[in-house]
Amino acid sequence: MAGQLREYRRRTRTVQSTKKITRAMELIAASRIAKARARVAASRPYAAEITRVISAVASQSTVHHPLTTERTGVTRAAVVVVTSDRGLAGGYSANALRQAGELMELLADEGKSVALYAVGRKAVTYYRFRGRELAGEFTGFTEQPSYADAKAIADELLGAFTLDEADGGVGEIHIVYTEYVSAMTQTPEAHRLLPMVLEETTEAPVGGALPVYEFEPSAEGVLDALLPRYVESRLYVALLEAAASESASRQRAMKSATDNAEELIRTYTRLANRARQEAITQEISEIVGGANALADAG
């Protein structure tokens, strides 16, 4: 009984230590969610506006820019998969990797090979373990990405997109990331970055004609300047969305772990009390039995 009581107390202390760690991680993740949400909200208007401007320029000109023109006979596509650098975030990375797997299956059915670009150590280790070759790796910033991180990824992707497929280039660029919907809901999404999907501009006034654009120095020059910024901004928004989703997922996972630790502590405390009561009862029984034996012998 004494050994059992010591074991329950040892387990209780271990779980209490774990609970302190998970509680601290829960509070840290919760503090980061508000900052991440603010960064997402601040970045979305710029990405939406630059998309609108590029759509207006491309739809109102006769320029066939390589970043906005659909290609025929594409046989190689790039897929950027955004996951986390650390674990303990529930199913955050697993859901993104599952979404990426579905996208790659779809591309394979279309006869396209995939060049993988992994963002986050979870994606890197996942694909390395399965023997998948990676065209690019980006780690160390998933919780707090900067615009420079997005630009580094965009530069590499644009370099591959401008190359011929025969020389190792790609004809399409897709990104898989987790969109932040709310503190309880984060949804993995897959979108095509390039070639850009253009939307017809609707800037005409009510009952009026479409505006006439004049481009300086030229429509092609404007697109050359804006399209790299478009790719960078879209990647930056995706990284910020993923960071907010990661923090929200980690906060929920750590709260669940803390709640489970509290339940384990209550369970071990009850078992320890029961073992202690049984030990006391046994000692009393032994004392009473010894006293009766002495009385009978006397």
Side-chain angles (χ1 to χ4, degrees):
M1 290 297 177
Q4 196 175 38
L5 180 59
R6 285 195 299 271
E7 177 65 17
Y8 287 141
R9 287 175 174 172
R10 184 189 66 80
R11 292 184 182 182
T12 300
R13 289 193 298 269
T14 301
V15 176
Q16 285 174 337
S17 299
T18 304
K19 176 189 170 184
K20 291 178 182 178
I21 296 172
T22 57
R23 179 60 178 166
M25 294 184 67
E26 176 190 349
L27 294 176
I28 293 172
S31 67
R32 285 179 174 171
I33 292 176
K35 296 179 182 178
R37 288 178 59 189
R39 296 180 73 190
V40 170
S43 64
R44 281 174 175 170
Y46 176 81
E49 187 63 18
I50 195 171
T51 302
R52 184 193 65 79
V53 170
I54 293 175
S55 296
V57 172
S59 61
Q60 298 300 315
S61 67
T62 58
V63 174
H64 296 287
H65 198 278
L67 273 65
T68 59
T69 304
E70 291 284 346
R71 299 183 183 183
T72 58
V74 175
T75 59
R76 196 162 187 264
V79 175
V80 184
V81 185
V82 182
T83 61
S84 64
D85 283 319
R86 299 189 299 126
L88 301 177
Y92 166 75
S93 294
N95 292 335
L97 292 168
R98 187 180 303 111
Q99 182 70 30
E102 295 176 0
L103 173 61
M104 287 188 283
E105 288 180 4
L106 179 61
L107 293 173
D109 292 340
E110 296 175 356
K112 301 170 185 175
S113 60
V114 173
L116 273 173
Y117 292 81
V119 179
R121 292 190 180 91
K122 287 298 178 179
V124 172
T125 55
Y126 177 86
Y127 290 117
R128 278 183 178 174
F129 180 77
R130 285 156 179 77
R132 293 293 301 266
E133 182 181 356
L134 294 176
E137 302 176 14
F138 307 91
T139 59
F141 56 81
T142 59
E143 284 189 279
Q144 294 179 320
S146 66
Y147 193 85
D149 299 320
K151 188 177 186 306
I153 301 172
D155 290 343
E156 190 162 337
L157 291 174
L158 288 170
F161 191 76
T162 54
L163 279 178
D164 291 334
E165 293 184 28
D167 298 328
V170 296
E172 293 178 357
I173 297 177
H174 301 262
I175 183 170
V176 178
Y177 67 99
T178 306
E179 182 179 2
Y180 181 89
V181 180
S182 67
M184 297 301 296
T185 306
Q186 298 85 44
T187 308
E189 299 285 346
H191 297 292
R192 192 182 78 177
L193 285 179
L194 294 177
M196 179 181 173
V197 180
L198 297 176
E199 298 179 0
E200 291 295 329
T201 181
T202 57
E203 293 181 329
V206 178
L210 287 171
V212 177
Y213 290 91
E214 292 185 3
F215 304 106
E216 182 68 31
S218 64
E220 186 174 2
V222 172
L223 289 175
D224 285 340
L226 289 180
L227 282 169
R229 306 290 87 76
Y230 160 77
V231 176
E232 293 167 9
S233 65
R234 287 292 301 272
L235 281 169
Y236 185 49
V237 171
L239 292 177
L240 292 178
E241 294 265 9
S245 299
E246 179 184 347
S247 294
S249 183
R250 180 169 289 114
Q251 190 267 342
R252 289 202 318 275
M254 291 301 97
K255 184 180 187 307
S256 178
T258 303
D259 293 342
N260 291 338
E262 290 176 350
E263 181 62 30
L264 274 175
I265 290 171
R266 285 193 292 268
T267 300
Y268 286 140
T269 300
R270 284 198 302 268
L271 291 173
N273 290 338
R274 184 182 302 171
R276 180 170 173 274
Q277 290 170 356
E278 290 176 354
I280 293 172
T281 302
Q282 183 176 355
E283 289 176 4
I284 292 174
S285 298
E286 290 174 353
I287 292 172
V288 172
N292 291 336
L294 289 174
D296 294 340

